Amino acid sequence: MKTSIILGIETSCDETAAAVFRGYELIHHITATQLVHTSYGGVVPEYASREHNKLLGPVIRGVLEQSEMTLADIGGIAVTQGPGLAGSLLVGLSYAKGLALGLDVPIYGINHIEGHIFANFIGEKNLPTPFLCMLVSGGHTQLIHVENARDYKLIGQTRDDAAGEAFDKVARLLGIGYPGGPLIDRLSKEGSADFHHFPRSSFDGSYDFSFSGLKTNVMQYISKQAPGFIKDHLPDIAASFQEAVVDVLSGQTMQAARDLGHDRIVLAGGVAANSRLRERMVELTEAEGKTLFNPDLRYCTDNAAMIAYMGYWKSISGSADSLDIAAIPNLKLSFGG
Ligand code: KG4
Ligand code: ZN
């Protein structure tokens, strides 16, 4: 049936992605990672928009071909509305509006953060809410009580850098490249997490996080070493830093789950791809008889499957948006009481 087929479009940062869903079933998805940013050590917003412009058409054609469909089969367009880079969001949103208008189908503006949270349930007909979500990406580090797909409560958040940002900044300090998270993850496997004890920060009476002190501490540690030391001990330093981040994220999440009586914990966002964090959360939740939802690795970092899936949820609740919807670079989850 035409109306149940959703095309999802994601262009919030440096991945150009498209996906096709039939009902809650993922048919196909493509994520094109922009390589142009690698040599700059971070995402260059202007280049990101230009690359989206170049890649989005071919990516959509590709996903339709692989789904053995044409545009005529599409019954609705789901597109990331925010948060993200303004220019990048605009490319996806304009493309989506053009398609919705041309095909005369509804458009669904999707909050990228909701996409990350519910990426755990891609392909599921029912969402096992309520749960406690650890949202850890390049821009966010939040603990969220998720009552259902509309009702969220913020439990704690970073007071400075996001966890992914800390990975990226420390990777830059160590001179190992961009994006830092996956590189530190890989390097850490060859190193010892006990090599050096970096500080773990916490705040009394709060579930908030802080990572900028840790980053500064790594910087000071590096500056004190003799030439050649860092290069010789790169895996050990990476593993020691990663262990500090994992200790803080997992410790705080488990404490909140205990205090608030949550038996279900959901990991979300790019940092949820971290192998040590996943391993630790499996151990801790198993020890306490809690259920852990770890997104499939393909759906941790930015992708359009999570956007199309949220589009499906919006389509069944009949909440289509108008063609006037704007890109909202600082779009937040709307937190209730
Ligand atoms: O969710 P995401 O793809 O984009 C945002 O919405 O921000 O997250 C990107 C972040 C980057 O900071 C990247 O370094 C981090 O996720 N990341 C990781 C890993 N894979 C991606 N951090 C730690 N370990 C990983 N394996
Ligand atoms: Zn993201």
Side-chain angles (χ1 to χ4, degrees):
M1 189 175 70
K2 174 175 169 166
T3 47
S4 72
I5 297 175
I6 304 278
L7 172 69
I9 296 176
E10 153 65 35
T11 63
S12 67
C13 192
D14 60 341
E15 324 276 358
T16 312
V20 173
F21 264 69
R22 186 187 290 116
Y24 56 86
E25 181 200 0
L26 172 62
I27 305 296
H28 233 286
H29 76 115
I30 295 181
T31 306
T33 300
Q34 302 176 356
L35 301 175
V36 61
H37 311 284
T38 318
S39 56
Y40 296 92
V43 178
V44 184
E46 177 61 31
Y47 288 164
S49 334
R50 284 193 220 169
E51 287 294 293
H52 286 309
N53 246 331
K54 238 191 313 184
L55 294 169
L56 191 52
V59 163
I60 291 176
R61 276 196 294 281
V63 84
L64 286 171
E65 255 173 50
Q66 290 180 13
S67 306
E68 297 181 354
M69 289 184 193
T70 68
L71 280 175
D73 297 308
I74 300 301
I77 313 281
V79 60
T80 304
Q81 192 180 5
L85 300 168
S88 293
L89 290 168
L90 265 177
V91 174
L93 204 59
S94 309
Y95 209 105
K97 286 180 183 181
L99 284 178
L101 192 65
L103 299 172
D104 192 23
V105 297
I107 189 168
Y108 305 100
I110 306 297
N111 184 325
H112 179 88
I113 302 173
E114 284 183 348
H116 274 304
I117 295 175
F118 292 101
N120 280 274
F121 309 115
I122 286 175
E124 303 273 336
K125 224 174 187 171
N126 301 304
L127 301 177
T129 52
F131 54 78
L132 179 68
C133 177
M134 179 208 292
L135 169 70
V136 275
S137 69
H140 290 82
T141 302
Q142 294 182 328
L143 276 180
I144 304 162
H145 166 97
V146 178
E147 187 60 35
N148 55 51
R150 291 224 149 56
D151 189 0
Y152 311 99
K153 186 168 176 229
L154 184 63
I155 305 299
Q157 63 183 331
T158 182
R159 297 191 180 181
D160 39 60
D161 293 347
E165 205 179 341
F167 270 100
D168 296 336
K169 285 179 176 172
V170 166
R172 209 171 303 152
L173 289 173
L174 294 173
I176 58 176
Y178 178 86
L183 296 170
I184 288 183
D185 192 350
R186 221 172 302 142
L187 204 55
S188 297
K189 292 191 202 301
E190 297 148 33
S192 163
D194 298 327
F195 182 74
H196 181 79
H197 184 88
F198 288 112
R200 279 82 166 143
S201 56
S202 63
F203 301 96
D204 279 348
S206 154
Y207 299 111
D208 280 355
F209 305 91
S210 166
F211 294 106
S212 81
L214 172 60
K215 175 201 64 197
T216 308
N217 200 278
V218 174
M219 193 161 66
Q220 286 165 347
Y221 175 79
I222 291 173
S223 70
K224 278 193 237 141
Q225 307 306 326
F229 179 89
I230 300 299
K231 206 165 149 265
D232 291 346
H233 295 286
L234 218 44
D236 293 325
I237 300 166
S240 302
F241 158 76
Q242 178 176 271
E243 200 69 5
V245 177
V246 168
D247 273 356
V248 170
L249 290 175
S250 59
Q252 202 84 298
T253 304
M254 292 306 291
Q255 190 59 49
R258 260 175 243 128
D259 294 351
L260 305 172
H262 275 288
D263 288 329
R264 281 188 285 254
I265 298 179
V266 162
L267 304 190
V271 183
N274 185 267
S275 56
R276 184 74 185 118
L277 179 64
R278 292 166 82 94
E279 181 182 67
R280 177 74 68 82
M281 287 304 295
V282 168
E283 280 165 22
L284 294 174
T285 47
E286 273 179 10
E288 296 192 27
K290 297 188 188 296
T291 307
L292 180 71
F293 295 90
N294 249 342
D296 189 300
L297 277 179
R298 288 167 301 177
Y299 311 135
C300 285
T301 45
D302 292 346
N303 66 87
M306 64 186 195
I307 302 303
Y309 185 55
M310 290 315 287
Y312 158 70
W313 282 106
K314 272 188 107 162
S315 74
I316 55 176
S317 65
S319 43
D321 288 298
S322 105
L323 278 173
D324 297 338
I325 53 166
I328 309 179
N330 64 351
L331 183 63
K332 308 232 179 330
L333 282 183
S334 47
F335 292 114

